[in-house]
Amino acid sequence: MTRNHVFGRLPDGRDVHLLPIGAAPGVEVEVLTLGATVHRMVVTGGDGERRNVVLGHPDVEERLASGDYVGGTIGRYANRIAAGRFPLAGREVEVRTHDRGNSLHGGPDGFDARLWDVVSYTADEVVLRLVSPDGDQGFPGAVTATARYVVDGDTVRVTMEATTDATTVVNLTNHAYLNLDGEGAGTIDGHLLAVEADEYTPVDATGIPLGGHATVAGTPFDLREPTVLGPALRAEHPQVVAARGIDHDYVVRGTGLRRAAVLSSPVTRTSVEVWSDQPGLQVYTGNFLDGTRRSTSGARYRQGDGIALEPQLFPDSPNRPEWPSPVLEPGETYRSTLEWRFSTEPV
């Protein structure tokens, strides 16, 4: 891969850089400074072929026009906040909304659409930083966020941190869409997915939790064993029908850095374990990819062409005091870790 080069330019003239890390035969990752985005991720499959296994957009213009968060670092608050309102430090905060009346992934101008600064860059690691000012999208406090990508053989580790100068809420994640058959290879219907969770979070028609968590037993959300995705995404369950697939939070068993999910492709004999230290995993099966946005391979992304496995806090947590808190205070540091561990053996 070509080392650090200009990928494109923003409308205001600032350069967007592409930063490759890693090397064959291990994982090679291309990171964009726009959105601290995973642009490409090349791995060796069980069939011996090297292929890019994440979705991406071909240029800056397409990235800025897209509403699909492809590969981006999501913040200041990943997932949804009901009506963009929540109590914080004795007052009600109101943030910008753009998804069926709710705040989604930090608002209409989230971290995924921002140009991040390069803090450091080596052959196997890149660290990016973003300063989000007080009042950004309505969120209080100036927040400094960092995203660190490290390639270690067949593992990619993503560490996200944030600090603030005033009480606020923070929930960061990465929104890479995986397709282990290769970017542009079609849908993930034939992939097998296992999620280390006994419960999921039912939602209303706008994606806001209806109440508490519910058992996956007896539902299409039961992914405790490797499950072919296609039939699950077409089940007659009302939650699946309303979401046009799966777009739901799973309650990952255990605490600390542990395996949250395993995705595998029988076609390319490739597997990836998703490891996380977060309580939840949002599983999104690309339900609203509709052919309007171009891919890195020159095609159009359509429903089910990739799956996002997003470790994070639970949706609408600022309004749910019974769930793990998203509140970040001055002097504290928010931290989260995500790992993709690739393998050519069944996991």
Side-chain angles (χ1 to χ4, degrees):
M1 294 184 181
T2 303
R3 302 293 290 172
N4 184 4
H5 72 269
V6 175
F7 177 75
R9 289 182 173 83
L10 295 175
D12 63 10
R14 289 180 296 166
D15 289 338
V16 174
H17 286 263
L18 184 149
L19 307 167
I21 55 175
V27 184
E28 295 175 282
V29 181
E30 292 179 353
V31 178
L32 297 178
T33 54
L34 176 57
T37 294
V38 175
H39 178 59
R40 298 178 77 246
M41 188 151 54
V42 177
V43 306
T44 303
D47 58 1
E49 296 293 324
R50 287 185 65 77
R51 54 177 59 83
N52 172 30
V53 294
V54 296
L55 308 193
H57 293 305
D59 52 43
V60 168
E61 292 75 19
E62 196 76 8
R63 286 210 61 84
L64 293 176
S66 173
D68 298 314
Y69 307 98
V70 175
T73 296
I74 304 300
R76 178 178 306 193
Y77 191 87
N79 217 307
R80 294 173 176 86
I81 300 174
R85 296 179 180 178
F86 56 94
L88 182 69
R91 69 184 181 95
E92 184 175 84
V93 174
E94 185 171 351
V95 298
R96 295 185 66 188
T97 61
H98 67 302
D99 178 68
R100 296 169 287 182
N102 303 314
S103 172
L104 173 64
H105 290 338
D109 184 21
F111 287 6
D112 63 295
R114 308 293 178 83
L115 189 65
W116 293 54
D117 295 320
V118 179
V119 176
S120 62
Y121 178 44
T122 66
D124 298 312
E125 175 182 296
V126 60
V127 181
L128 302 172
R129 178 173 56 209
L130 176 70
V131 177
S132 170
D134 177 40
D136 188 359
Q137 305 295 290
F139 289 95
V143 164
T144 299
T146 60
R148 180 188 304 268
Y149 292 94
V150 179
V151 176
D152 182 7
D154 291 321
T155 296
V156 181
R157 182 177 305 107
V158 187
T159 307
M160 291 163 279
E161 297 187 350
T163 58
T164 182
D165 66 358
T167 304
T168 192
V169 296
V170 172
N171 182 25
L172 306 180
T173 193
N174 181 276
H175 208 293
Y177 290 79
L178 293 157
N179 187 323
L180 300 179
D181 293 341
E183 185 276 335
T187 74
I188 43 84
D189 282 3
H191 284 46
L192 282 75
L193 177 64
V195 179
E196 306 285 354
D198 302 310
E199 295 180 304
Y200 79 108
T201 310
V203 294
D204 66 17
T206 70
I208 297 298
L210 286 167
H213 308 304
T215 180
V216 299
T219 77
F221 298 96
D222 190 347
L223 303 175
R224 290 175 290 185
E225 298 295 331
T227 301
V228 178
L229 280 169
L233 305 185
R234 288 161 182 79
E236 288 298 320
H237 191 284
Q239 286 281 312
V240 175
V241 172
R244 300 175 59 182
I246 296 175
D247 186 10
H248 292 76
D249 163 70
Y250 281 75
V251 182
V252 181
R253 290 188 295 266
T255 59
L257 185 65
R258 74 276 191 213
R259 191 172 77 175
V262 183
L263 182 71
S264 60
S265 165
V267 173
T268 61
R269 303 195 301 281
T270 307
S271 297
V272 60
E273 297 185 43
V274 179
W275 285 62
S276 163
D277 58 4
Q278 295 300 289
L281 180 75
Q282 187 78 12
V283 175
Y284 173 55
T285 52
N287 313 337
F288 295 96
L289 299 175
D290 61 4
T292 60
R293 295 298 162 209
R294 291 181 294 127
S295 72
T296 47
S297 59
R300 300 270 175 175
Y301 290 132
R302 291 177 170 81
Q303 185 177 16
D305 279 356
I307 181 171
L309 302 170
E310 312 160 48
Q312 56 190 261
L313 296 173
F314 301 140
D316 200 32
S317 283
N319 290 306
R320 309 285 174 139
E322 70 275 19
W323 289 350
S325 175
V327 175
L328 182 67
E329 300 281 4
E332 298 177 343
T333 300
Y334 165 97
R335 292 185 179 89
S336 67
T337 299
L338 157 67
E339 292 182 357
W340 293 297
R341 301 183 182 182
F342 290 92
S343 172
T344 58
E345 301 294 332
V347 180

